[in-house]
């Protein structure tokens, strides 16, 4: 069955450092991979989408890589700030654009 | 940007009550909306896909008579949890896709925290 794995342990980093979150998947050939941010008690907010034929995408301090051979995506936040503290969800989808979500990884940026 | 409004944000009610949750796309039209359920520290689980003008498509294991979905217009979908029981307590979130931009991801509402006593 399809499986999406995100590190269940919280990632703690110091302000100003680069945060790197990992999303691994098995038994899936997604056309799209998305990253969302979710704050406690709120709905997810879309951050970035990357297509299967793209290796990297950037948006301001965010960078996403997509390695279909390794079946892995890395999500980077450079110059992290305490306001970046949240849960980050990885989501995969095929041609229907209906994503399947991972459990998310909590990021805590310490001042 | 695209905005999805979900109401109410929180509901606390007695067992046996039916609860209606509304999901509106405020600045775009959505032929398709999605309803998710999320337990603490768990991923979003898709419950059903709501299609404007037709019956909703439910995921395996989701009771259609328990979770009634109505998508009467291009901007409104409702989820009614009928005869709710404590095990239905959860965080329910809707999302919508822009009608004219099918290559874009979904936009989510802020969720409804449902607590059944």
């Amino acid at each position: 069955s399809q499986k999406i794995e995100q590190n269940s342990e919280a990632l703690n980093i110091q302000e100003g450092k680069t945060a790197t979150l990992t999303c691994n998947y098995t038994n899936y050939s997604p056309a799209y991979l998305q990253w969302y941010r979710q704050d406690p008690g709120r709905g997810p907010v879309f951050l970035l989408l990357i297509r299967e034929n793209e290796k990297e995408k950037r948006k301001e301090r965010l960078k996403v890589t997509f390695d279909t051979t390794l079946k892995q995506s890395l999500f980077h936040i450079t110059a992290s700030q305490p306001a970046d503290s949240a849960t980050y969800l990885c989501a995969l989808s095929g041609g229907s654009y209906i994503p399947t979500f991972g459990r998310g990884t909590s990021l805590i940026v310490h001042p | 940007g695209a905005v999805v409004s979900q109401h109410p944000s929180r509901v606390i009610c007695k067992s046996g009550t039916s609860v209606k949750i509304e999901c509106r796309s405020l600045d775009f039209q959505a032929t398709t909306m999605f309803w998710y359920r999320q337990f603490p520290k768990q991923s979003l689980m898709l419950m059903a896909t709501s299609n404007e003008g037709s019956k909703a498509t439910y995921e395996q294991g989701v009771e259609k008579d328990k979770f009634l979905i109505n998508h009467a217009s291009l901007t409104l979908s409702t989820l009614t949890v009928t005869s709710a029981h404590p095990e239905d307590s959860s965080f329910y979130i809707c999302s919508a896709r822009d009608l004219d931009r099918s290559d874009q991801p979904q936009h989510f509402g802020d969720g409804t925290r449902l607590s059944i006593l």
Side-chain angles (χ1 to χ4, degrees):
Chain A
S1 61
Q2 297 170 350
K3 197 172 181 181
I4 302 172
E5 293 181 352
Q6 291 187 259
N7 196 336
S8 58
E9 290 185 16
L11 176 64
N12 286 272
I13 65 167
Q14 209 63 33
E15 182 176 10
K17 301 292 186 183
T18 296
T20 299
L21 305 175
T22 305
C23 175
N24 294 299
Y25 60 92
T26 55
N27 298 324
Y28 208 139
S29 295
Y32 306 92
L33 190 147
Q34 304 165 38
W35 283 90
Y36 290 79
R37 168 183 173 144
Q38 187 174 24
D39 291 284
R42 307 292 296 271
V45 175
F46 169 72
L47 296 175
L48 280 169
L49 177 149
I50 187 166
R51 293 173 169 78
E52 61 178 337
N53 60 351
E54 298 175 314
K55 291 200 178 299
E56 181 180 298
K57 187 164 264 190
R58 293 174 185 260
K59 179 183 176 183
E60 298 173 352
R61 293 186 295 114
L62 309 180
K63 184 178 86 171
V64 171
T65 63
F66 193 8
D67 189 325
T68 55
T69 301
L70 291 178
K71 295 187 181 296
Q72 180 182 78
S73 174
L74 299 179
F75 177 77
H76 306 273
I77 305 176
T78 58
S80 59
Q81 305 164 1
D84 295 325
S85 300
T87 296
Y88 291 86
L89 307 174
C90 164
L92 279 63
S93 58
S96 69
Y97 310 103
I98 300 175
T100 301
F101 286 84
R103 288 188 177 188
T105 298
S106 175
L107 172 66
I108 302 169
V109 181
H110 299 275
Chain B
V3 177
V4 173
S5 174
Q6 189 172 338
H7 179 81
S9 58
R10 187 174 182 94
V11 179
I12 302 173
C13 58
K14 293 181 180 179
S15 184
T17 306
S18 291
V19 178
K20 180 186 281 189
I21 303 170
E22 290 188 351
C23 180
R24 294 180 185 272
S25 56
L26 296 186
D27 52 358
F28 66 99
Q29 294 182 321
T31 54
T32 307
M33 291 185 175
F34 306 91
W35 288 97
Y36 293 84
R37 184 172 178 173
Q38 187 179 35
F39 291 105
K41 299 192 184 298
Q42 299 294 316
S43 64
L44 281 77
M45 297 303 298
L46 181 65
M47 298 174 65
T49 302
S50 170
N51 303 297
E52 188 268 334
S54 64
K55 291 183 179 180
T57 303
Y58 290 82
E59 295 299 301
Q60 191 173 12
V62 178
E63 299 176 56
K64 58 183 67 176
D65 295 331
K66 174 75 170 178
F67 300 99
L68 300 179
I69 291 172
N70 184 282
H71 193 154
S73 75
L74 287 172
T75 59
L76 174 64
S77 176
T78 61
L79 168 69
T80 301
V81 183
T82 61
S83 187
H85 292 285
E87 59 267 26
D88 298 321
S89 299
S90 189
F91 191 50
Y92 293 86
I93 311 175
C94 73
S95 70
R97 206 168 61 205
D98 195 317
L99 173 68
D100 296 321
R101 302 189 66 178
S102 58
D103 63 334
Q104 297 299 304
Q106 298 173 47
H107 304 285
F108 286 84
D110 261 345
T112 297
R113 175 73 59 193
L114 177 61
S115 300
I116 308 298
L117 305 176

